Amino acid sequence: MKPTRALVLGTLIALNISAVHAYDVVNRYKIIDDKLKTSQMLEPIGHDFFFDVSAAFNKNIKEVISDVSDASKFQGTSQQKINNANVVLAKYDRTEQTVKVNVGLGFPLPSFSAWDVKFKPNFRALLDVGANIGIRSQALTNQNLIDLFRDQVPSELQAYILTLNLSSLQGQDVRAICLAQFSTPSATNSYCTALEAGKYIIPSATNPTMTVLAKADAKVGFFNEYTSGEHWFGNWNLYAMGRADLYQFITGTQIAQGDSIETPKKMNTETTIQTDYRLGYRNTNYSIFASVEELKLSKMKDAKVGSKPLTYGYDPLVRVQADATYRLNALSLQPFVGVHKRSGYGFSEGMYAGTAVGAHVWGDRLGLQLRAMVDKEYISLSPRVKLWLMQLEYTLKKPLKSEVDNVRLTAIQSIDFRIFF
């Protein structure tokens, strides 16, 4: 059986396997982000000078942000403000909102050959910023209470919070509880004293809450394509990456206080050396490759002392894909099938298959393309137009089911604009 057919069969089987997982805002961002990266990967940059900017977002994220903003400005008594904020959260119960922005630029370096391998090196700088917001009614945990804090909580205070019976403390100020426990002069006492009164209130367990993960990656380095003989090809990238993320648990009380999302006093930005590697084999019009992306080699710079540890971490992304290309004059057909995997979701969530139909002339510098792709959660349609030194692509990811992991899915739209020469 040819590799493409085998992978297609495995994909169709996996797409019909259903699994139940507890909702996790971090893991959901990983799978959504990697699905968007798959769409980007299917339109490679090549060996060009380029400037690229893209944005992806849920169709109703503007409405959610607007409603939360209005709730933070609501006029009334303290309790009326909290009640109004809880009504807004209840409106979006069991939903998630995702937004992602990418900016990239780069230029080619001189090609060269060594050991019968031809290299095409490129210098690139890439910025990737995204966030996922999950809103849901769920039982409040002691760890949620720790996650209310923007900065690193002293270990002594964390240990104490984990012992609390939250059901008997609803509506109480964490600052007062902290000072009552750590009344003598100490590092923890100083931390509690510095907290703003009324800023961290233990919420009711029955009201919806909002959990936010925001992440920013900046990559600068060398991105190298290579070919060996007639059949072998791939990429080997080596770059420095700065990564920072923000993980917050937000209640209706905080929204009512106008304190829903706040940048930490100490960002947890870390700088590391990363590598990507891809090895592929091509025979006539068929090809298959395996790759690993964002593999951490070493750390260059630690985060600031007192900042929260990175929530997203450094788990690499692995991928296998097979495809074929059929051409008839200016027309082309490119079916493909693949799977990607990262810690936080299973192989079945990373399965995808699709095809691209295009018409190109003048060395592919002018043309139109329509790509359709399906995975376990979405069907994606991506029309693209290429006009000499620029291309514009729009993607609509339409949910295949109403909900996943007890979360109501909504469509994701993205647009990419690229200039190259």
Side-chain angles (χ1 to χ4, degrees), residues 259-285:
D259 185 37
S260 54
I261 299 179
E262 183 179 274
T263 303
K265 296 177 182 178
K266 296 181 179 181
M267 289 301 298
N268 57 359
T269 307
E270 294 181 356
T271 306
T272 57
I273 298 296
Q274 303 269 333
T275 190
D276 308 332
Y277 183 70
R278 176 186 296 183
L279 177 62
Y281 182 83
R282 181 181 293 111
N283 188 14
T284 61
N285 61 321

Side-chain angles (χ1 to χ4, degrees), residues 72-145:
S72 68
K73 303 170 185 175
F74 183 81
Q75 299 298 312
T77 66
S78 176
Q79 190 57 51
Q80 287 173 336
K81 291 180 179 180
I82 295 172
N83 292 341
N84 178 71
N86 287 332
V87 168
V88 170
L89 291 177
K91 176 182 176 181
Y92 299 104
D93 194 15
R94 297 193 302 114
T95 66
E96 64 182 3
Q97 312 298 326
T98 306
V99 61
K100 178 178 167 70
V101 176
N102 295 90
V103 179
L105 56 88
F107 55 86
L109 299 172
S111 302
F112 63 93
S113 297
W115 307 289
D116 295 325
V117 180
K118 185 175 181 180
F119 295 91
K120 292 183 177 181
N122 302 269
F123 178 83
R124 293 176 184 171
L126 308 169
L127 178 64
D128 181 313
V129 180
N132 194 37
I133 302 171
I135 302 174
R136 64 195 297 104
S137 300
Q138 57 188 354
L140 181 70
T141 69
N142 297 67
Q143 182 60 49
N144 293 150
L145 190 59

